[in-house]
Amino acid sequence: QVQLVESGGGLVQAGGSLRLSCAASGRTLRNYAMGWFRQAPGKEREFVAAIDWSTGITRYADSLKGRFTISRDNAVNTVYLEMNGLKPEDTAVYYCAAKSGFPLQIIKHYDYWGQGTQVTVSS
């Protein structure tokens, strides 16, 4: 089992920044990939970014490249999502998830999920 706890969400004005954190515990994380997903009201959950824990390989949703950055800190078993230039359309619940192996973008391959953290971007 892998336990995931997100934090860092909140209310921010358009153009602002937020950093989300996902603290992971449980199994040896070097065997896992960590992903961020988001779900806006009335929409399906979508892929945001992911990182392979052992290699550091990253993947991003094409529409978010350049604004969002995923990173990890091995010392504290935490994955981060740095979000810059936030737009009202980035408003969603952001979820952290974990899976083993590649590919990184496929939501149905993820086995473990956090509870989510709300991000609201005001115009």
Side-chain angles (χ1 to χ4, degrees), residues 7 18-23 34-36 48-51 53 58 60 68-83 96:
S7 61
L18 280 176
R19 188 179 76 160
L20 305 183
S21 301
C22 174
M34 306 294 293
W36 284 99
V48 173
I51 185 167
W53 197 277
T58 59
Y60 293 92
F68 288 17
T69 303
I70 190 170
S71 62
R72 73 197 190 296
D73 186 333
N74 293 337
V76 292
N77 288 342
T78 299
V79 174
Y80 302 99
L81 183 69
E82 187 76 34
M83 306 184 293
C96 176

Side-chain angles (χ1 to χ4, degrees), residues 5-106:
V5 179
E6 303 99 331
S7 61
L11 174 64
V12 64
Q13 288 188 333
S17 299
L18 280 176
R19 188 179 76 160
L20 305 183
S21 301
C22 174
S25 61
R27 293 185 174 177
T28 303
L29 295 175
R30 66 174 180 267
N31 297 324
Y32 285 83
M34 306 294 293
W36 284 99
F37 297 81
R38 68 184 185 183
Q39 188 167 18
K43 294 187 177 181
E44 293 187 354
R45 195 169 298 188
E46 64 176 356
F47 171 73
V48 173
I51 185 167
D52 179 69
W53 197 277
S54 60
T55 64
I57 292 173
T58 59
R59 293 289 185 269
Y60 293 92
D62 288 341
S63 62
L64 300 176
K65 286 181 181 177
R67 290 198 299 126
F68 288 17
T69 303
I70 190 170
S71 62
R72 73 197 190 296
D73 186 333
N74 293 337
V76 292
N77 288 342
T78 299
V79 174
Y80 302 99
L81 183 69
E82 187 76 34
M83 306 184 293
N84 298 311
L86 284 164
K87 306 175 182 179
E89 51 263 43
D90 294 319
T91 295
V93 177
Y94 284 71
Y95 297 91
C96 176
K99 66 179 294 291
S100 58
F102 290 81
L104 303 181
Q105 304 96 311
I106 310 301

